[in-house]
Amino acid sequence: MGMNIDELATRRYLFKFYHEADISRIINDGPWTFDKSLLLLKRLSDTEDPLDIDLNTAEFWVQVHGLPPGFRSEAVLRGVGDFIGVVYHCDERNFDGSTRSFFRIRITIDVTKPLKKGMRLKKEDGDWIQIEFRYERLPTFCFICGLLGHSDKFCNRRVQGWDPLSEKTYGSELRAGFRRNIPTGGNR
């Protein structure tokens, strides 16, 4: 176990791990933050130069809420995920036979673009439904522009004349609630 960290440039670091299990855990269990700021990570091959790597994507578990019966399939979830970013993995528990209030997809998101709040789906009868997205472990993001990495206090739109009295387009509803273990019954 263990790792070394080298600072390569301003805000660019190289993490060196000694065991494959550590690398896999760090890559697969993210996203990771430091001081509420997102850490963008990329696994390098032996031939890649760490200073030449674009760091503009991160993987998130995204919860899809409001998906009605008839739309609850892996193919639909993958289509929804492709609207958000690039689907990496669907939660294997999505279709285990239990009733779900939401479905989970692991998605690679371009952090240079605003977060997606939801999307509309057309039912067979022609009616439209709205589904909503919630991001697990979502770090600091702007309620004005929807970008990760800054809060609305530091948004460039404020400088460009955004009216602080107008309604913000994004809100805390994009954050998924914390997952807590529900205690089992027992004697007091």
Side-chain angles (χ1 to χ4, degrees):
M1 290 207 141
M3 73 170 181
N4 287 336
I5 304 172
D6 294 326
E7 184 173 8
L8 303 176
T10 303
R11 299 172 46 178
R12 181 144 321 218
Y13 300 89
L14 180 64
F15 293 79
K16 297 176 191 172
F17 294 91
Y18 297 104
H19 297 284
E20 180 62 34
D22 293 335
I23 297 169
S24 295
R25 186 180 70 80
I26 295 300
I27 295 295
N28 294 329
D29 288 354
W32 298 95
T33 59
F34 177 76
D35 200 23
K36 296 184 184 177
S37 295
L38 182 64
L39 291 175
L40 298 175
L41 304 172
K42 173 135 179 19
R43 185 173 185 160
L44 300 174
S45 70
D46 293 335
T47 60
E48 290 179 296
D49 183 349
L51 293 173
D52 293 337
I53 298 298
D54 286 330
L55 294 172
N56 54 14
T57 61
E59 287 182 7
F60 286 90
W61 279 105
V62 179
Q63 298 177 0
V64 179
H65 290 258
L67 200 60
F71 287 84
R72 295 177 179 178
S73 70
E74 187 165 335
V76 170
L77 282 177
R78 287 190 175 275
V80 168
D82 287 337
F83 172 76
I84 302 169
V86 177
V87 176
Y88 177 74
H89 176 72
C90 285
D91 189 339
E92 59 274 354
R93 293 175 294 182
N94 281 338
F95 304 107
D96 65 1
S98 60
T99 305
R100 300 252 174 251
S101 60
F102 62 85
F103 299 87
R104 297 174 74 227
I105 317 167
R106 182 95 169 154
I107 300 174
T108 302
I109 296 174
D110 183 345
V111 298
T112 65
K113 297 179 180 174
L115 295 169
K116 303 274 175 97
K117 299 186 291 183
M119 71 182 289
R120 292 172 24 131
L121 298 174
K122 191 172 186 178
K123 294 169 62 175
E124 287 183 10
D125 64 7
D127 288 341
W128 289 89
I129 56 158
Q130 180 72 28
I131 60 173
E132 296 176 352
F133 308 137
R134 295 191 186 134
Y135 299 80
E136 296 180 8
R137 300 174 71 178
L138 188 62
T140 299
F141 74 100
C142 181
F143 287 11
I144 298 169
C145 69
L147 290 174
L148 294 168
H150 66 272
S151 66
D152 48 316
K153 184 178 178 180
F154 300 103
C155 185
N156 285 336
R157 288 195 184 169
R158 281 187 176 265
V159 177
Q160 298 167 354
W162 179 79
D163 181 9
L165 299 177
S166 66
E167 190 172 321
K168 295 176 182 171
T169 310
Y170 295 83
S172 61
E173 69 277 356
L174 288 180
R175 282 197 169 91
F178 293 105
R179 301 177 121 219
R180 295 192 176 146
N181 293 333
I182 299 171
T184 58
N187 296 332
R188 288 185 168 196

